[in-house]
Amino acid sequence: MAKVPGKVNWFNVAKGFGFISRADGEGDVFVHQSDLHSEGFRSLREGEEVEFCIEANAEDGRAKAVNVTGPEGGFVQGAPRRVGGRGGGRGGRGRSRGGAGGGRGGGRGRGEERGPDGEVRVEESSGLQVVVLNLPWSVTWQSLKDHFQEIGNVVRADVVFDDNGRSRGFGTISYETPDEVNAAIDRFNNTELEGRTINVRLDRYG
């Protein structure tokens, strides 16, 4: 099976899964830590380059990445592990630009702490936010907000950028009610935005 190159879009270390952006522009694919070729603790570093095979998820038929390695079959880099007390501060998905009325947002940090058993615990979802994957590079927070305003009042819209100011191809939309979130998923998931098929899912950590 031929391997596909790509770059890690984001990866939640605590939950052990994330998404990889395909280098051929065919969108993002789901990845689970059990499919990583790693020396030790299995995780991915956001932005690292990887190679992987693609197969259909047995549960829902969607594409997922398997046999995920570094370039030329090497070990993946993995994310640095947190130790001790409370973390947080910097958001886990890079810098974001946007907001309800404008300006540049700093991204929302996500608090983490370790329990007595050493397990990293992460805040539960508010149920009021969706993550939008496979965004065209030209999409701004304002155009994303305008697109999703059809469902209801958008409290906040963000598009995530890397340290060089380039879009990372995903963003988030916050609504006032869970019903609006569910409606947005039903309405916009697997639809086209500026020629690309976007994926809209509940943000389980927002």
Side-chain angles (χ1 to χ4, degrees), residues 23 57-58 61 93-94 101 110 124 126 139 154 160 201:
N57 189 310
R93 296 184 185 172
R110 189 165 295 126
E124 294 299 323
S126 66
V139 167
V154 174
V160 180
R201 308 179 184 188

Side-chain angles (χ1 to χ4, degrees), residues 102-116:
R104 180 179 180 123
R108 187 170 70 179
R110 189 165 295 126
E112 296 182 354
E113 64 177 330
R114 289 185 181 270

Side-chain angles (χ1 to χ4, degrees), residues 4-6 21-27 54:
V4 178
S21 294
R22 295 176 54 161
D24 57 12
E26 292 297 318
I54 298 175

Side-chain angles (χ1 to χ4, degrees), residues 128 153-155 174-178 180-181:
L128 300 176
N153 182 43
V154 174
V155 177
S174 298
Y175 286 105
E176 293 181 331
T177 69
E180 290 172 326
V181 166

Side-chain angles (χ1 to χ4, degrees), residues 80-88 112-114 118 120:
R81 297 189 67 179
R82 295 179 181 233
V83 294
R86 284 187 177 269
E112 296 182 354
E113 64 177 330
R114 289 185 181 270
V120 177

Side-chain angles (χ1 to χ4, degrees), residues 11 18 26 41 53 57 62 119 142 144 156 176:
F11 191 87
E26 292 297 318
F41 182 74
C53 298
N57 189 310
R62 293 186 177 183
E119 179 184 1
Q142 184 65 65
L144 185 65
R156 184 177 179 88
E176 293 181 331

Side-chain angles (χ1 to χ4, degrees), residues 18 90 118 160 186 190:
R90 183 179 178 184
V160 180
D186 291 339
N190 291 326

